[in-house]
């Protein structure tokens, strides 16, 4: 009987050691592949964002500039300046375009 117990104990120790080694190898591989997978995910995210920026529709063309007001139309002038300011605030007109149209209206 002592030989049988010794054999069972030896088998248990070997199985326990194999299990511990296998678990350690598995954790190390999981960490290694997790780093690799994180790098791949970051690259895919970056390329996706670049594609979305490249495929984004171009900004809308600026609205046509209002014409000069008729004689005695100061309220028209104020309304046109306000609409230009609104277009500038919405980002449709740049600051330079706004200044040019404003100068045209006030001239």
């Amino acid at each position: 009987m002592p030989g049988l117990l010794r054999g069972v104990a030896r088998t248990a120790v070997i199985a326990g050691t194999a299990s511990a080694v296998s678990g350690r190898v598995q954790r190390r591989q999981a960490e290694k592949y997790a780093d690799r997978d994180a790098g791949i995910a970051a690259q895919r995210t970056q390329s996706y964002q670049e594609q979305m920026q490249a495929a984004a529709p171009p900004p809308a063309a600026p609205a046509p500039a209002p014409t000069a007001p008729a004689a005695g139309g100061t309220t028209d002038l104020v309304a046109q300046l306000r609409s230009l300011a609104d277009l500038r605030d919405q980002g449709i007109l740049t600051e330079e375009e706004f200044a040019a149209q404003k100068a045209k209206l006030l001239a």
Side-chain angles (χ1 to χ4, degrees), residues 59-67 80 83-88 90-94 97-98 101 104:
T67 58
Q80 288 176 348
S83 68
L84 281 175
D86 288 341
L87 291 173
R88 179 198 57 202
Q90 293 171 6
I92 296 173
L93 290 178
T94 64
E97 292 170 333
F98 171 74
Q101 292 300 322
K104 206 186 277 186

Side-chain angles (χ1 to χ4, degrees), residues 24-45:
R24 188 175 28 199
V25 168
Q26 192 174 25
R27 281 190 302 276
R28 194 176 320 137
Q29 285 180 342
E31 290 171 0
K32 173 183 168 185
Y33 291 124
D35 291 341
R36 184 195 69 184
D37 291 344
I40 290 171
Q43 288 174 347
R44 286 184 180 168
T45 302

Side-chain angles (χ1 to χ4, degrees), residues 3-92:
L4 180 63
L5 285 176
R6 194 175 305 145
V8 170
R10 184 173 153 203
T11 302
V13 168
I14 291 172
T17 304
S19 177
V21 169
S22 172
R24 188 175 28 199
V25 168
Q26 192 174 25
R27 281 190 302 276
R28 194 176 320 137
Q29 285 180 342
E31 290 171 0
K32 173 183 168 185
Y33 291 124
D35 291 341
R36 184 195 69 184
D37 291 344
I40 290 171
Q43 288 174 347
R44 286 184 180 168
T45 302
Q46 182 180 7
S47 70
Y48 174 75
Q49 290 173 346
E50 289 171 357
Q51 288 175 354
M52 288 295 109
Q53 288 176 351
T67 58
T74 57
T75 56
D76 269 351
L77 178 64
V78 172
Q80 288 176 348
L81 287 172
R82 282 190 183 146
S83 68
L84 281 175
D86 288 341
L87 291 173
R88 179 198 57 202
D89 293 342
Q90 293 171 6
I92 296 173

